C-alpha cells in the first residue's frame, strides 16, 4: 500500500536548484585549482600562505553537529581551515554539536570579534537565518554552507547539486530492481527541517515517481526522520517492515547513517544482501557495507571541492570583491520561504557502487586501511584497493 501520509505533507515547500552549468564550469575552472575528487583528503595538507595565515583577518565558520555525520569534524573543518590559511586568513571553526543555543552563542562571539565573513552550516533554517540577520546588521557577509537557510538573508550558498544527489539514489535503486517488476520500496528520508533533505527527496522522485505511477514499482511508505536520527530511522523502518508483512524489495535511505540503521533491521530479518539499500556521504561504514553486499550504493561528494569553493568565495567577500564572488557563484538556488533567488556554487556528486569504491580511496577521502580489514581483505584485493 502507498503511504497514508501524502509526500507533499512530508516535504512542504519543495523547490529545485536551477543550475547554469556552462557558466559555472568556466568560473570554477578559472578559480578553483582542485580536481573534481582527486585532491580530496582528510589530512590538512594544503600549503599555507607564506605569512602562515591570518594576515588578512579571520573568517568564522560554524558547523552543525557530529552525532549523525563524522564529515563535519573529520573533513569540513580541516579542509576549510587549510583552504582559508592558504589565502592568508585565519579560520575560526567551531561546532555547535546540534545545540541551536550554542550555534547562536558561537555566532555572537564571532560577530563581536569582527570576523570578515561568516560561513554557516546551520542546524536548521531558523537559527541559520537568525545568525545571518545578526551578521548583516554588523556589516559581516554570510555564506550558507552545504545547507540553504530558507527565509534567510545570505547572499551566497555553496553546496552540491542536492537534487542530483537524490536523482542518483533513485536511478541506482531502479537499476538494482530492474528484474523485479512491482518491487516494493520504502523511503527513509532525512530531517524535514533540512532543506537538503527536501532536495534529495525531490531528486529521488524525479527518478522514481514515474515508476510508482505506472506500477513498475510500489511505494510502501515514505517517512522523514526528525534530526536525521539513525536510531529513530531504524525503528521507523522496522515498524514499516512489520506493518507490510515483512516484505520489502528496496530501500531509499537518504544517507549512510540511515542506511546502516536499515541494514541492522534487515539483518535481524535475514534480508541483508537481498534488499538493495541506497546511501550518501561515502563514509567508511557505508563503503564497508557496500563491499559486504549489504548496501547497494552511496553518493560521493568531494568535500575538499566544497571547502575550497567556500574559501574562495569568502576571500572575495572579505575583500569587497562582489564581482569576483559573482563569477564564482554562477548557479542559482530558490528559497521559496524567502521568495528569493540565491547565488550559488553547486558541485557535482558521484554515484559509488561496489565497482567505484576504489575511486573514493584513490581520492584520499577514505583510507584503504579504514575499510579493508578483517572479512573485507579479499574484497579489497579483488578490487585493487590497497
Amino acid at each position: 500500500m502507498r503511504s497514508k501520509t501524502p509526500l507533499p505533507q512530508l516535504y512542504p515547500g519543495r523547490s529545485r536548484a536551477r543550475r547554469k552549468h556552462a557558466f559555472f564550469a568556466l568560473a570554477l575552472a578559472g578559480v578553483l585549482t582542485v580536481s573534481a575528487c582527486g585532491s580530496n583528503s582528510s589530512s590538512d595538507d594544503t600549503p599555507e600562505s607564506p605569512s602562515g595565515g591570518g594576515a588578512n583577518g579571520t573568517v568564522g565558520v560554524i558547523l552543525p553537529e557530529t552525532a549523525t555525520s563524522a564529515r563535519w569534524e573529520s573533513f569540513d573543518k580541516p579542509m576549510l581551515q587549510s583552504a582559508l590559511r592558504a589565502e592568508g586568513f585565519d579560520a575560526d571553526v567551531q561546532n555547535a554539536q546540534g545545540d541551536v543555543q550554542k550555534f547562536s552563542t558561537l555566532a555572537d562571539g564571532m560577530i563581536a570579534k569582527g570576523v570578515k565573513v561568516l560561513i554557516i552550516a546551520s542546524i536548521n533554517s531558523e537559527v541559520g537565518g537568525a545568525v545571518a540577520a545578526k551578521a548583516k546588521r554588523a556589516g559581516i557577509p554570510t555564506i550558507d554552507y552545504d545547507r540553504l537557510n530558507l527565509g534567510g538573508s545570505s547572499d551566497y550558498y555553496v553546496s552540491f547539486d542536492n537534487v542530483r544527489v537524490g536523482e542518483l539514489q533513485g536511478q541506482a535503486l531502479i537499476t538494482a530492481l530492474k528484474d523485479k517488476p512491482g518491487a516494493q520500496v520504502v523511503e527513509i528520508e532525512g530531517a524535514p527541517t533540512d532543506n537538503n533533505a527536501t532536495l534529495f527527496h525531490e531528486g529521488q522522485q524525479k527518478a522514481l515517481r514515474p515508476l510508482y505511477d505506472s506500477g513498475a514499482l510500489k511505494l510502501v511508505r515514505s517517512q522523514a526522520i526528525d534530526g536525521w536520527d539513525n536510531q529513530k530511522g531504524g525503528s521507523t523502518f522496522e515498524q514499516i517492515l512489520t506493518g507490510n508483512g515483512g516484505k520489502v524489495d528496496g530501500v531509499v535511505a537518504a544517507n549512510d547513517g540511515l542506511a546502516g540503521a536499515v541494514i541492522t533491521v534487515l539483518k535481524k530479518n535475514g534480508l541483508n544482501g537481498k534488499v538493495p539499500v541506497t546511501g550518501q556521504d561515502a563514509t567508511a561504514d557505508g563503503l564497508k557495507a557496500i563491499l559486504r553486499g549489504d548496501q547497494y550504493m552511496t553518493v560521493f561528494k568531494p568535500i575538499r571541492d566544497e571547502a575550497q569553493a567556500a574559501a574562495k568565495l569568502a576571500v572575495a567577500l572579505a575583500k569587497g570583491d562582489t564581482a569576483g564572488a559573482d563569477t564564482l557563484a554562477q548557479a542559482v538556488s530558490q528559497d521559496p520561504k524567502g521568495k528569493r533567488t540565491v547565488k550559488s556554487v553547486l558541485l557535482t556528486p558521484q554515484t559509488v557502487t561496489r565497482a567505484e569504491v576504489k575511486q573514493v580511496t584513490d581520492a584520499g577521502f577514505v583510507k584503504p586501511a579504514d575499510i579493508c580489514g578483517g572479512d573485507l581483505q579479499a574484497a579489497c584485493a579483488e578490487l585493487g584497493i590497497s
Side-chain angles (χ1 to χ4, degrees), residues 149-365:
N149 291 309
L150 300 183
S153 58
S154 295
D155 291 324
Y156 296 92
Y157 170 49
V158 177
S159 189
F160 288 86
D161 182 344
N162 292 311
V163 173
R164 182 59 180 160
V165 169
E167 197 170 6
L168 293 178
Q169 292 172 326
Q171 289 170 345
L173 193 68
I174 290 169
T175 298
L177 295 175
K178 65 181 184 298
D179 296 327
K180 288 189 176 182
Q184 300 188 57
V185 176
V186 174
E187 298 175 354
I188 301 297
E189 303 291 354
T193 56
D194 181 353
N195 186 56
N196 279 4
T198 301
L199 297 176
F200 299 150
H201 188 260
E202 180 182 337
Q204 293 160 9
Q205 297 311 294
K206 284 180 66 177
L208 293 168
R209 176 54 57 187
L211 279 74
Y212 293 153
D213 291 344
S214 71
L217 295 176
K218 178 181 179 182
L219 177 62
V220 177
R221 185 171 168 186
S222 183
Q223 183 61 55
I225 304 299
D226 289 340
W228 291 88
D229 186 304
N230 295 335
Q231 184 174 355
K232 185 177 293 184
S235 61
T236 299
F237 173 69
E238 189 162 29
Q239 291 168 8
I240 295 170
L241 182 63
T242 300
N244 199 47
K247 297 177 182 177
V248 65
D249 296 302
V251 181
V252 175
N255 71 359
D256 287 351
L258 292 172
V262 165
I263 290 166
T264 297
V265 176
L266 292 174
K267 285 180 179 178
K268 286 172 58 177
N269 291 272
L271 295 173
N272 61 300
K274 303 174 183 177
V275 176
V277 180
T278 72
Q280 180 188 176
D281 292 331
T283 63
D285 285 344
L287 295 175
K288 287 192 286 187
I290 290 172
L291 291 175
R292 290 191 177 101
D294 292 335
Q295 184 171 324
Y296 182 72
M297 65 83 73
T298 187
V299 179
F300 178 37
K301 301 184 296 186
I303 295 171
R304 182 176 292 282
D305 291 10
E306 187 178 21
Q308 288 275 1
K312 293 287 185 184
L313 193 55
V315 167
L317 294 175
K319 295 178 178 178
D321 182 9
T322 55
D326 290 349
T327 298
L328 274 169
Q330 288 284 346
V332 295
S333 299
Q334 297 303 315
D335 173 4
K337 184 176 180 180
K339 298 180 180 179
R340 64 192 181 114
T341 297
V342 185
K343 298 171 185 177
S344 305
V345 177
L346 299 177
L347 301 164
T348 303
Q350 304 165 29
T351 296
V352 174
T353 60
R354 191 175 188 274
E356 289 86 36
V357 171
K358 188 175 187 299
Q359 294 179 18
V360 181
T361 58
D362 286 349
F365 186 73

Side-chain angles (χ1 to χ4, degrees), residues 117-138:
V117 178
L118 191 56
I119 298 173
I120 305 167
S122 62
I123 296 169
N124 59 47
S125 289
E126 287 72 21
V127 68
V131 164
K134 285 182 184 179
K136 178 167 280 191
R137 289 194 293 269

